[in-house]
């Protein structure tokens, strides 16, 4: 019923390139979401750009459109897997937890009753986390349309899907974003405190 898409196709220029393989503690960044998905027995694919090949090649999908951003990555992942719902995750989420994923999954029945095609965490200030969200399989129709219209912001997709917003506040640490060497160092301090 659920499969996961790990987005690893960005260039990661601000962090010095090859973000999935930045060391974080005793693992690579990409190993953190993979280990959680394996524990939960959720099948997954890693969507990457065509010029990035690595040891996970039996789980790889490639971006259908180069340099289009996360929308193309999500569509590529959806085409590689057959599922009712797709969990979308970035490759740099070392604080991802089983509890967070189970929380999203627990909202599927409610979303389906309300005709919602995505489940998106939202903070009190209104900021949303679309790259830590669940998307129903029929959202592919809207995703194709938005990509054909050359709209690259994920908010265009969310608006089409009658989103079910869920509370992001109880899982704030899950969303720690790592885009620069400084953010990597700060996140590592947070890991050590745990």
């Amino acid at each position: 019923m659920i499969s996961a898409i790990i987005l690893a196709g960005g260039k990661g220029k601000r962090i010095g390139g090859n973000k999935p393989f930045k060391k974080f503690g005793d693992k690579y960044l990409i190993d953190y979401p993979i280990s959680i998905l394996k524990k939960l027995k959720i099948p997954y694919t890693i969507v990457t750009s065509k010029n990035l090949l690595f040891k996970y090649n039996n789980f790889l999908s490639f971006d259908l459109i180069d340099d289009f951003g996360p929308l193309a990555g999500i569509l590529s992942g959806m085409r590689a897997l057959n599922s009712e719902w797709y969990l979308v995750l970035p490759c740099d989420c070392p604080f991802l937890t089983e509890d967070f994923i189970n929380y999203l999954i627990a909202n599927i029945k409610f979303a389906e009753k309300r005709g919602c095609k995505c489940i998106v965490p939202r903070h009190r200030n209104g900021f949303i986390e679309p790259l830590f969200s669940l998307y129903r399989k029929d959202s592919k129709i809207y995703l194709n349309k938005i990509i054909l219209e050359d709209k690259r912001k994920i908010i265009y997709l969310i608006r089409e899907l009658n989103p079910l917003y869920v509370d992001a506040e109880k899982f704030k640490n899950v969303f720690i974003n790592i885009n620069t060497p400084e953010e990597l160092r700060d996140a590592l301090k947070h890991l050590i405190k745990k």
Side-chain angles (χ1 to χ4, degrees), residues 1-3 43 77-86 137 140:
M1 182 180 172
I2 295 165
S3 298
M78 286 180 167
R79 288 187 176 176
L81 299 163
N82 185 22
S83 195
E84 286 295 312
W85 286 86
Y86 297 91
K137 69 176 180 180
K140 269 191 263 191

Side-chain angles (χ1 to χ4, degrees), residues 1 13 15 17 33 37 40 43 45 68 71 73 83 86 89 96 101 103 111 121 127 132 134 137 147 153 167 188:
M1 182 180 172
K13 286 180 183 175
I15 202 165
L37 294 171
L40 293 171
T45 188
F68 198 90
L71 290 176
S83 195
Y86 297 91
L89 297 168
L96 183 69
I101 293 174
Y103 170 67
F127 186 81
F132 289 86
L134 279 169
K137 69 176 180 180
I147 288 172
K153 292 186 179 172
D167 184 15
L188 196 51

Side-chain angles (χ1 to χ4, degrees), residues 173-189:
N173 289 342
V174 166
F175 311 115
I176 291 174
N177 201 343
I178 301 171
N179 288 312
T180 65
E182 294 76 29
E183 288 172 350
L184 189 66
R185 281 194 297 273
D186 290 345
L188 196 51
K189 286 177 196 168

Side-chain angles (χ1 to χ4, degrees), residues 26 28 30 35 60 64 71 80 103 110 114 127-128 154 173 178 188-189:
D26 59 348
Y28 295 120
I30 197 161
S35 65
L60 283 183
L64 297 168
L71 290 176
Y103 170 67
F110 185 58
R114 292 189 50 197
F127 186 81
I128 62 172
I154 202 162
N173 289 342
I178 301 171
L188 196 51
K189 286 177 196 168

Side-chain angles (χ1 to χ4, degrees), residues 127-145:
F127 186 81
I128 62 172
E129 300 285 355
L131 300 185
F132 289 86
S133 299
L134 279 169
Y135 295 86
R136 198 173 142 77
K137 69 176 180 180
D138 49 358
S139 62
K140 269 191 263 191
I141 300 161
Y142 302 94
L143 192 45
N144 273 311
K145 174 179 167 282

